Amino acid sequence: MKNFLFYTLISLVFIISISSVNAQKNNSHDKIKKILYFNPEVEPDVEEIKEPTNHAFFSAVSDNISTFRKNKMLRTEVQISYDSIDTKTISEYCKNNDADFVIVPKVKYFKVGLGKYVFSNQVIVSMKLFDAEGNFVTSSDYDTYRKNMRLLGSAENSIKIGTNGAIKSIIKQLRKLKPSAEAGF
């Protein structure tokens, strides 16, 4: 009888431990979140700087997203106006791309000098985060001159620094909005 109780107790502990491990694996926090990024709105609107800006922006985003295993970057080649965002459009893009979040970015170059096309290497990277239903969640701005006091360096590096700073700021704001277990953006 002692052996029977001993083996029953051992098997019961084994079954309970297996079920608790399965409950942890099926946790909804471990779901990979898909984040859809639009092409950044570039200010001033000069066609020659849009492609290098897009390349530098998405290079910084992919480097930043690769550090988080729970996130997957989706990219669309569409540019949406940063100041006038339609929630219906956002929700349609989320539904069509199976995305959990949408980020609408803007890169603003500082204009320096007298000429029309003379730009500084300083930028302001702004981002707005929306959920899958098109509801505004949070926004972030990162000014590379005010935050880092960068006077030298390329515009590409400034865009990367600004993008990383804006993403970190969004993550920090999400942690304030949600409990720490859910803020795995």
Side-chain angles (χ1 to χ4, degrees):
M1 183 74 180
K2 281 185 171 180
N3 284 341
F4 177 73
L5 287 175
F6 178 74
Y7 288 122
T8 305
L9 182 64
I10 294 294
S11 62
L12 183 63
V13 168
F14 179 73
I15 290 172
I16 289 173
S17 65
I18 294 268
S19 65
S20 67
V21 168
N22 285 338
Q24 289 174 357
K25 285 184 180 178
N26 293 333
N27 196 350
S28 65
H29 303 303
D30 292 337
K31 181 183 174 200
I32 294 178
K33 294 181 177 126
K34 297 176 186 168
I35 306 164
L36 179 66
Y37 287 85
F38 286 97
N39 277 349
E41 178 183 353
V42 179
E43 187 178 311
D45 191 17
V46 177
E47 196 63 38
E48 289 84 13
I49 62 174
K50 285 185 179 181
E51 187 60 36
T53 301
N54 291 345
H55 180 70
F57 176 80
F58 284 110
S59 174
V61 168
S62 64
D63 291 346
N64 202 323
I65 293 294
S66 66
T67 61
F68 299 106
R69 293 182 186 172
K70 296 180 185 179
N71 296 334
K72 181 179 179 185
M73 180 185 88
L74 302 172
R75 179 180 177 181
T76 180
E77 294 294 328
V78 177
Q79 178 180 325
I80 290 183
S81 174
Y82 185 79
D83 297 324
S84 59
I85 299 171
D86 182 29
T87 57
K88 264 188 181 178
T89 306
I90 297 290
S91 62
E92 285 295 319
Y93 272 103
C94 280
K95 189 167 74 172
N96 292 338
N97 292 297
D98 193 30
D100 299 316
F101 294 101
V102 171
I103 290 191
V104 179
K106 178 179 180 179
V107 177
K108 179 180 179 182
Y109 287 91
F110 288 100
K111 185 176 179 187
V112 179
L114 302 174
K116 184 177 178 183
Y117 297 110
V118 178
F119 300 109
S120 170
N121 61 347
Q122 306 303 321
V123 295
I124 298 175
V125 178
S126 306
M127 293 183 183
K128 289 184 181 177
L129 177 70
F130 295 89
D131 63 5
E133 288 82 33
N135 300 322
F136 176 75
V137 177
T138 187
S139 66
S140 173
D141 293 330
Y142 193 89
D143 187 340
T144 58
Y145 180 70
R146 289 192 181 156
K147 302 284 179 153
N148 285 353
M149 296 302 280
R150 287 178 48 90
L151 295 175
L152 301 174
S154 68
E156 180 179 354
N157 285 339
S158 291
I159 292 169
K160 288 181 179 182
I161 290 170
T163 303
N164 289 334
I167 289 174
K168 286 178 184 177
S169 177
I170 284 179
I171 291 171
K172 187 185 292 184
Q173 290 174 12
L174 281 177
R175 287 187 180 134
K176 289 179 185 177
L177 294 175
K178 296 181 180 182
S180 61
E182 294 181 17
F185 174 78

